Amino acid sequence: MKSGFVSIVGRPNVGKSTLINQIMQRKIAIVSTKVGTTRNNIFGIYNDKDYQIVFVDTPGIQKANTKLEEVLNKKALDSFDNDIVLFLIDAITGYKDNDKKILKKLKEDKKRVILVLNKIDQIKKEKLLTLINELKNEYDFLDIVPISSLKNDNIDTLLQVIKNNLQDNVKYFSDDVITNIDEKYMIGELIREKVLENTYDEVPHSVTCLVTNIEFTKGKAIINADIIVDRDNLKSIIIGKNGTMLKKIGKEARLDIENYLNKKVYLELYVKTIPNWRDKKNSLKELNIIESDFE
Ligand SMILES: Nc1nc2c(ncn2[C@@H]2O[C@H](COP(=O)(O)OP(=O)(O)OP(=O)(O)O)[C@@H](O)[C@H]2O)c(=O)[nH]1
Ligand SMILES: [Mg+2]
């Protein structure tokens, strides 16, 4: 048996969470078109006959303007300590300054890095070759693997490359453990995903979702959750005209949660304003965003 911890790192929006979901064949981490979706290091534990790979999805690394972004960057940087780092680059946008900063840090720390060029479904072969040429001498990568996380293209090759580079032979988790996140956290995330999908750019960074109560009755789960924003105008956006937006978010989230829990769900959502929660260390803790139950 070979095993190891493998971090998935990169700029926001390059497709890290899409990749972990594709490898795990289930939703471990929420995904959105918006920058800065992931807020914790999330494990996806892959098992087969001969291997156990603990994938760690991380928040996108970016220039930090708020306390929240600072904490998210730190989480991602902490994950550099794992055995292998998958450094994801968005092949559509190419190699950007922010990618360079991340690679510089990986180089300084002499990390074992596999360069992964994601979203190749959207680019021409020549562009991919140019990108590989641009990057191949930037570092002594363990390997360079072009993939499409979305279309499940070349993920099997990536898995094989990872397997060839694993160094441990300890089984860290029993087969039934799939992730480090608990039910309550995942339900909050499924709600947040629907908020992100349904609103424009002003909302994403300022919203979080907290499950306040779950009650299981015969074949049914009754769930209460708060959608927390830091400004009243965002609250109005999320509620929408005559509550239509909140209804839509609630319905889509309920369907996802029913699928996740495999049960009928009754979901009640409340929208609350807490000013400046992103910049207050204590309120981050209170809100369970960073210091969440599973850490
Ligand atoms: N075309 C294409 N789009 C992709 C691919 N992988 C991810 N995406 C899209 O890219 C967007 C961002 O994906 P995420 O998986 O949330 O990205 P992330 O790196 O986890 O982002 P953060 O959590 O914000 O750091 C979503 O709209 C995905 O559907 C891919 O292989 N091809
Ligand atoms: Mg993510």
Side-chain angles (χ1 to χ4, degrees):
M1 133 100 21
K2 283 261 180 215
S3 65
F5 280 69
V6 176
S7 303
I8 308 176
V9 309
R11 273 193 287 132
N13 219 40
V14 295
K16 299 178 293 299
S17 301
T18 309
L19 175 60
I20 202 167
N21 291 342
Q22 191 61 264
I23 291 169
M24 295 301 297
Q25 295 287 297
R26 61 196 292 162
K27 192 182 267 183
I28 294 278
I30 60 165
V31 165
S32 91
T33 52
K34 312 255 162 54
V35 163
T37 303
T38 303
R39 287 192 180 152
N40 266 299
N41 291 357
I42 298 173
F43 290 9
I45 303 160
Y46 167 97
N47 285 297
D48 66 20
K49 204 161 61 52
D50 303 310
Y51 298 91
Q52 179 169 78
I53 312 171
V54 184
F55 287 95
V56 185
D57 182 24
T58 65
I61 300 170
Q62 58 188 323
K63 189 172 172 295
N65 294 315
T66 60
K67 185 79 205 166
L68 175 63
E69 285 163 2
E70 214 177 274
V71 177
L72 296 185
N73 281 347
K74 184 171 180 310
K75 276 171 177 285
L77 293 172
D78 284 350
S79 83
F80 282 16
D81 283 339
N82 288 329
D83 310 333
I84 298 175
V85 175
L86 303 186
F87 174 39
L88 252 71
I89 288 198
D90 182 328
I92 303 173
T93 58
Y95 185 47
K96 297 282 181 201
D97 278 352
N98 282 337
D99 298 313
K100 283 183 192 157
K101 284 183 195 149
I102 298 170
L103 184 57
K104 184 166 176 269
K105 180 90 181 84
L106 289 166
K107 272 189 205 171
E108 278 166 13
D109 297 352
K110 299 195 170 56
K111 294 300 168 193
R112 302 171 71 231
V113 181
I114 297 170
L115 176 64
V116 179
L117 306 172
N118 190 34
K119 307 195 184 180
I120 58 164
D121 54 292
Q122 287 289 329
I123 59 159
K124 296 231 163 67
K125 235 197 178 113
E126 302 84 70
K127 188 170 169 188
L128 177 61
L129 293 176
T130 313
L131 191 58
I132 292 174
N133 274 327
E134 184 186 353
L135 277 154
K136 67 177 184 212
N137 297 322
E138 288 289 315
Y139 187 52
D140 189 12
F141 295 111
L142 294 177
D143 215 324
I144 301 180
V145 188
I147 61 164
S148 167
S149 299
L150 194 66
K151 307 279 184 198
N152 199 9
D153 185 13
N154 220 26
I155 306 287
D156 47 350
T157 309
L158 177 61
L159 265 175
Q160 196 51 55
V161 167
I162 295 166
K163 287 174 180 178
N164 295 344
N165 284 288
L166 292 174
Q167 294 175 323
D168 296 353
N169 38 31
V170 185
K171 189 160 180 170
Y172 289 99
F173 295 94
S174 61
D175 286 338
D176 56 334
V177 183
I178 293 159
T179 184
N180 59 341
I181 66 169
D182 66 16
E183 217 166 54
K184 213 169 145 193
Y185 184 83
M186 188 61 192
I187 293 168
E189 288 290 88
L190 291 172
I191 299 166
R192 189 162 65 89
E193 184 180 68
K194 302 309 166 207
V195 175
L196 297 184
E197 273 177 13
N198 282 293
T199 53
Y200 293 101
D201 282 345
E202 62 266 50
V203 176
H205 300 288
S206 350
V207 67
T208 196
C209 300
L210 277 187
V211 172
T212 50
N213 194 44
I214 310 182
E215 241 175 270
F216 290 103
T217 58
K218 284 180 277 160
K220 192 170 181 176
I222 302 167
I223 301 171
N224 298 315
D226 290 342
I227 298 174
I228 296 163
V229 292
D230 60 1
R231 293 197 309 271
D232 277 334
N233 69 325
L234 298 180
K235 184 171 163 175
S236 327
I237 293 171
I238 289 171
I239 294 172
K241 211 172 170 195
N242 302 322
T244 45
M245 177 60 92
L246 190 60
K247 228 183 227 163
K248 185 164 186 279
I249 291 168
K251 186 179 173 202
E252 289 176 12
R254 178 176 57 76
L255 292 174
D256 258 28
I257 299 165
E258 285 182 343
N259 194 24
Y260 168 68
L261 293 175
N262 205 11
K263 267 193 183 61
K264 277 254 163 267
V265 165
Y266 176 80
L267 177 66
E268 198 146 321
L269 296 175
Y270 308 88
V271 189
K272 292 185 180 167
T273 307
I274 302 182
N276 303 322
W277 64 260
R278 283 177 293 166
D279 291 318
K280 290 183 187 156
K281 195 149 191 273
N282 285 341
S283 76
L284 288 177
K285 271 192 189 166
E286 277 163 29
L287 290 172
N288 199 18
I289 296 160
I290 304 302
E291 309 293 333
S292 33
D293 292 342
F294 56 83
E295 283 187 315

